[in-house]
Amino acid sequence: MPTINLKRDLLFKALGRTYSDNEFQDLCFKFGLELDEVTSEKLLITKEKGQNGNMEASDEIIYKIDIPANRYDLLCLEGLTLGLLIFLNKVDIPHYVSIRPGTGMQKITMTSECLKIRGHIVAAILRDVTFTQDSYNSFIDLQDKLHQNIGRKRSLVSIGTHDLDTIQGPFLYDAKPPTNICFKPLNQDKEYTGEEIMNLYSNHAQLKQYLHIIKDSPVYPIVQDSNGTILSLPPIINGDHSKITLNTKNVFIECTAIDLTKAIIVLDTIVCMFSQYCKTKYTVETVEVVYPNNQVFHYPDLKYRTEEIDCEKAVKYIGIKQRAEKVANLLSRMSLKTRVVKDNNKLSVEVPPTRHDVIHSCDIYEDIAIAYGYNNIHKTIPYLSTIAEEFPLNKLSDQLRMELACAGFTEALTFSLCSREDIADKLGHKLENIPAVHISNPKTLEFQVARTTLLPGLLKTLAANKKMPLPQKVFEVSDIVLRDNTVEVGARNKRHLCAVYCNKSDGFEVIHGLLDRMLQVLEIPWSVGENSDGYYLRAINDPTFFPRRCAEIYCYNKVIGKMGVLHPDVITKFDLNVPCSVLEIEIESFL
């Protein structure tokens, strides 16, 4: 859930009245938001930069407000205050219009090279804009919020904004080898090639996190004007030549992306929020985009669509009793202009281009509930008499946890992700033989795959607690993840129980006794034989375990796990120096 920081006085000025902290917190709750914290600019900078970070900061009060992840229209002061004013019935719902100029329409032509790296671009123009320092800061901050959220740190969508009066159309969206690119980045005093830009920002606090998106590509995307001036190197940085200032009157906005739908959402959000600063409010000039196959599109469309819902069904879902006219008014307060369709109790809801979060009728029902007030919905006894029941697998897991704790073992809760080495090399196995689910973009080397066994996490726990007195006995009852192409999502979870005994002697008898106790309480007898209903052990060789000190556990005529003494190499690789015995079984067979 994204959080926005707004100056309290600026917010109250836009709302037209002053609130106490409690009053504003209550207003946020009624609108479906949460006032997370009341702080100051000085305190915020102190938290981020330390004790010396508040030298130039003011004591102005800052409201930190949590915004729902799908409400992109509320990620800036302009959108939030407009939404609140409509909710309070103080202003009417604006109507956004995209204008196609009869002559002189700006055009962007895309080359086929762009399809190799970022295959979409959309654009728009805000005419006769008047910026103040606060609205300019909000304009920049909204771009950053969209980059981080829907843009997935610029990997899906990146935004470029330019002073249209400093550049000359028509524009070209192209992709060139980095050595053939030469332009002056924002706030720099000389030109750099693509490779030099990568080196220049390799240690930059903010920009270094975006370099990997295009760094290894043979071509880098660029946007340039008819004079050959490069305006931006998406998704890294804009050019200094066309930078936006407080004196900018005409803003050219382009969004390059690998996901066209998200690019359209980003563009619509920016232009709708800041078109209120145009001379003709809520109007946006379209730009023509020509794709390599000569298809022509015009952005932004700012399309309105109409959804029809059954009012009776809606109020029944929510659990309230309201007339259709009242429900229509509730939706209008949530920026969804609604009218009643006579004679059939239907509601015609107009969804504006700012509300891309409205995908299904359920999204409209949610807005009805928010506007009505969750606290105003009367609590009722369910029409059906039902008795809640614990999920059988979770109930069994808790019962086994209790028995393990009674046996003197301490429960651990370890990460579901681990490194490839943890499940393969350190345990003496080859990675290609393990049905592991790999993370495509791991944040660190420690979280590359979903765990296929609970053992690495417990061994890491022991390694981190070597100062604790021996013996150490730890266990975990949690899920592992295995790759499975036969299921829809390509993977499946399995509930495992794993226990480790660590002491100066291996203590195999302790682990063996623990297994016997677990199966005793499960009322599974010891019984050797292929057709028996009990359990028995069978010796095997496994590189994870010491030779001739490992056994498979058979139950219900199938292998449910392994137990044994860990191989010294495994113990050493996990930074331990005392023998360990291990038991790991899957418990779903016992249901």
Side-chain angles (χ1 to χ4, degrees), residues 465-473 502-503:
N465 292 275
K466 287 188 290 187
K467 293 182 179 180
M468 299 295 291
L470 295 175
Q472 291 194 51
K473 299 188 286 185
C502 180
N503 201 358

Side-chain angles (χ1 to χ4, degrees), residues 4 6-7 10-11 14 75-82 138 277:
I4 60 173
L6 299 179
K7 295 179 180 179
L10 198 63
L11 176 63
L75 288 174
C76 61
L77 174 71
E78 290 72 16
L80 178 63
T81 53
L82 179 61
S138 181
Y277 296 121

Side-chain angles (χ1 to χ4, degrees), residues 52-64:
N52 297 324
N54 60 352
M55 299 300 292
E56 298 180 2
S58 67
D59 289 321
E60 190 168 2
I61 300 300
I62 301 292
Y63 279 171
K64 296 181 68 173

Side-chain angles (χ1 to χ4, degrees), residues 209-426:
Q209 61 183 313
Y210 310 122
L211 301 183
H212 70 93
I213 301 174
I214 63 170
K215 188 173 183 178
D216 297 327
S217 172
V219 291
Y220 291 177
I222 58 170
V223 179
Q224 64 184 41
D225 70 357
S226 59
N227 296 324
T229 303
I230 297 178
L231 313 184
S232 65
L233 178 68
I236 310 302
I237 194 167
N238 293 333
D240 189 72
H241 177 82
S242 57
K243 65 182 177 183
I244 302 289
T245 68
L246 291 178
N247 297 321
T248 297
K249 289 298 179 185
N250 300 302
V251 182
F252 176 66
I253 305 168
E254 41 88 3
C255 299
T256 59
I258 61 174
D259 187 315
L260 180 60
T261 301
K262 287 181 169 56
I264 291 172
I265 293 173
V266 167
L267 185 67
D268 286 355
T269 301
I270 293 176
V271 298
C272 287
M273 295 304 99
F274 287 88
S275 59
Q276 62 180 277
Y277 296 121
C278 294
K279 185 176 181 180
T280 306
K281 281 191 170 185
Y282 309 121
T283 60
V284 184
E285 185 177 315
T286 61
V287 174
E288 182 179 293
V289 177
V290 183
Y291 273 69
N293 58 2
N294 293 322
Q295 281 188 296
V296 177
F297 300 92
H298 294 89
Y299 299 107
D301 194 13
L302 299 186
K303 184 184 297 182
Y304 283 78
R305 76 176 199 274
T306 301
E307 296 283 342
E308 191 172 274
I309 64 169
D310 187 318
C311 182
E312 184 177 346
K313 184 178 180 181
V315 297
K316 185 178 180 181
Y317 267 117
I318 299 167
I320 61 177
K321 293 181 180 180
Q322 291 290 320
R323 292 181 294 106
E325 291 77 8
K326 177 64 176 178
V327 175
N329 181 57
L330 293 175
L331 284 172
S332 295
R333 291 178 62 198
M334 297 302 292
S335 302
L336 298 174
K337 187 177 290 186
T338 305
R339 62 181 180 85
V340 181
V341 180
K342 298 296 183 182
D343 302 327
N344 58 2
N345 203 38
K346 301 286 186 180
L347 297 177
S348 178
V349 184
E350 184 182 66
V351 182
T354 55
R355 294 298 306 274
H356 287 279
D357 60 296
V358 178
I359 301 172
H360 189 273
S361 298
C362 291
D363 299 312
I364 300 175
Y365 300 165
E366 181 186 21
D367 272 9
I368 296 173
I370 292 172
Y372 183 81
Y374 285 115
N375 289 340
N376 296 325
I377 300 174
H378 294 292
K379 296 179 181 179
T380 58
I381 298 174
Y383 296 113
L384 297 177
S385 178
T386 59
I387 299 174
E389 184 179 2
E390 189 175 3
F391 186 58
L393 181 58
N394 291 340
K395 183 177 181 180
L396 174 62
S397 300
D398 287 341
Q399 290 171 334
L400 290 174
R401 288 186 180 106
M402 183 64 70
E403 289 298 330
L404 285 160
C406 290
F409 282 72
T410 301
E411 185 174 13
L413 184 62
T414 63
F415 291 115
S416 299
L417 301 180
C418 58
S419 70
R420 297 186 181 98
E421 286 186 345
D422 289 341
I423 61 171
D425 295 346
K426 290 184 179 181

